Amino acid sequence: MTLNPEPVSVSRRELANAIRALSMDAVQKANSGHPGMPLGMADIAQVLWADFLNHNPANPSWFDRDRFVVSNGHGSMLLYSLLHLTGYGLDMEEIKNFRQLHAKTPGHPEYGDTPGVETTTGPLGQGLANAVGMAIAEQILAARFNRPEHTVVDHYTYTFLGDGCLMEGISHEACSLAGTLCLSKLIAFWDDNGVSIDGAVAGWFTDDTPARFESYGWQVIRNVDGHDPDSVHRAIQSARSDDGRPSLICCKTVIGWGSPNKQGSESAHGAALGEDEVALVRETIGWGHAPFFIPDEIYASWDATARGASLEAAWSRRFDSYRAAYPQPAQELQRRIDGDLPAEWEGACTAFINKTSAAEKKDATRKSSQACLDAYAAVLPEMIGGSADLTGSNNTKWSGSKVLSANHTDANYIHYGVREFAMSAIMNGIALHGGFIPYGGTFLVFSDYARNAVRMAALMKIKSIFVYTHDSIGLGEDGPTHQPIEQAASLRLIPNISVWRPCDAVESAVAWKCAIERPAGPTALLFSRQSVAHQARSAKQIDDIHKGGYILVDTETEPSVILIATGSEVELAVTAARQFPGRVRVVSMPSTDVFDAQGNDYKEWVLPASVHRRIAIEAGISDFWRKYVGLAGRIIGMNSFGASAPAPDVFEYFGFTVDNVASVIGEMLDN
């Protein structure tokens, strides 16, 4: 018996074929999935993961790891195969349970479900935009924390993408910005196989993609044979050597490579190959093993645990040296890596909220939001803001904002340009990377442009803060194209997003505080263009704002009518209620989801079931409020689009006046 046998030599192609075999076997067992991309990109993945990718399977959250994003997320089995083979906590049973209930191998990669998955992908193009956000985060952190002789932030972001990702408009939005910002640690691999679900893309996608990316300022490496490991290796080396530009590696591949009857066609894209074809693939690629069987020598060649442990240990030693030389920056970086808020946070919040309450200032809540940023961001250096070309309107820049540019990377504010969708997906990438709390602004009506990225933030339970101003018909003259009607309600329908529509500066301060403190999920903050009145409150009422809905004006005995309002309409409710002394309760409900999460006793105290006369008031779509007022209740809301006129005229035309609210209260009291 040989105690120290010579290692068995395994070729690159055999290692790549392990990806192919696992991918086609899993898809076949599930009778569902996308085998074409894993078969076609396996050789590229093998070179990247074996020769370049710095990661540690034993610690998927190691901070200075390279990030790997599969933007063409339908090819998820390629990623699951890589994670399984390299030693992540993804055993063969999970591979066999591909696309089954509660498996760690869902149909598309899902962040939080699978160790090693950096972001949820599938909606094409968004993974690419997430990768841009990750590269931005790395660039800024490196500029902020690295010191001469002490490099503690130094990693790449790699992303795979297909023709579909490049057809999506978000790819233009995100990649244009990436080129402008010179994100040299971002390397994208284009799976140029010329096929999508409907067939050969030549009928609908004839862009000169390399020229397009060159115009963005990217390094473009053309005509790489995606099935030639040496060619791929040289391309990655070239990409990494360019320290001034992101890189696009254009890889010519064959979709479904190795499938004699289906490669190169749409039939390999989105369905199991079939038992007979799987057997033919085995013959064609020379894989003589049973389904789901990987020889020991191939496992041994793929295993990245020892190298990963060594890489992280070396980084830890560098970080220890950094901590010794620069203790304060090291402590701050560690806090941000851990996601902890600073010790002074709670005190700063309390002081600011009390100061705001005492000021009794009438102002637009978008301006109140800016005041919140001045107070909160001053103690939160991890706050990184931005706007989709509406900075002056969204009021997202605060006094300490430093704008990111290619020449100024120690920054905390991003001019995203008119790119609402990319902005939101890039924010998600920044949040996923770690070390930051991203926020970004646009008009509420344009949340529609960004909606799928907002939905992905909610699905991933990440802390992206979406700032939406001009929150109602109150924006006035710009008219129905810019007046949000259904947007607030539609955002509230997304699971796991918290939506706040504050009525004044105090509620705005609490809303921002709750968004920053929220541990697992995004927040949408909806702010007014027009000024709103300050509402007087007790200390208990201020505390109750944190519960999403609370009694703002009450009666000594059980009220005859309850008014429920949000945002600028709270002022209407309070003024109208004064016409009926002792009979009308006003409930301000800035966040319905937070209120809904309270205990039954609290909700019953605020909205007692015994009071059937209820009126909801919001300058948005009416139907959302039916669950709070019941079938017998009344809703003063919108059931049409808005109109172009000065805001007071628009409000009056649609019935958002004290007189109309009082009239509806009177009608209820008479019945």
Side-chain angles (χ1 to χ4, degrees), residues 46 100 112 114 175 183 255 286 288 321 362 395 551 650 653 671:
Q46 189 278 321
Q100 304 310 300
T114 313
C175 294
L183 301 178
I255 189 172
S321 298
K362 180 174 183 176
N395 296 110
I551 300 170
V650 178
Y653 178 76
N671 293 326

Side-chain angles (χ1 to χ4, degrees), residues 414-485:
I414 302 170
H415 285 296
Y416 286 101
V418 187
R419 302 181 176 103
E420 296 88 355
F421 192 4
M423 174 183 73
S424 304
I426 289 169
M427 286 166 55
N428 290 346
I430 292 172
L432 288 161
H433 179 279
F436 292 101
I437 300 173
Y439 68 91
T442 186
F443 290 170
L444 176 56
V445 74
F446 298 138
S447 65
D448 287 344
Y449 279 137
R451 184 178 178 85
N452 200 258
V454 176
R455 182 177 188 271
M456 297 296 279
L459 180 60
M460 291 188 280
K461 301 179 182 178
I462 57 176
K463 192 184 291 187
S464 294
I465 301 175
F466 303 102
V467 179
Y468 297 131
T469 68
H470 297 59
D471 68 348
S472 75
I473 57 174
L475 72 85
E477 292 89 341
D478 278 337
T481 60
H482 285 55
Q483 291 169 1
I485 302 299

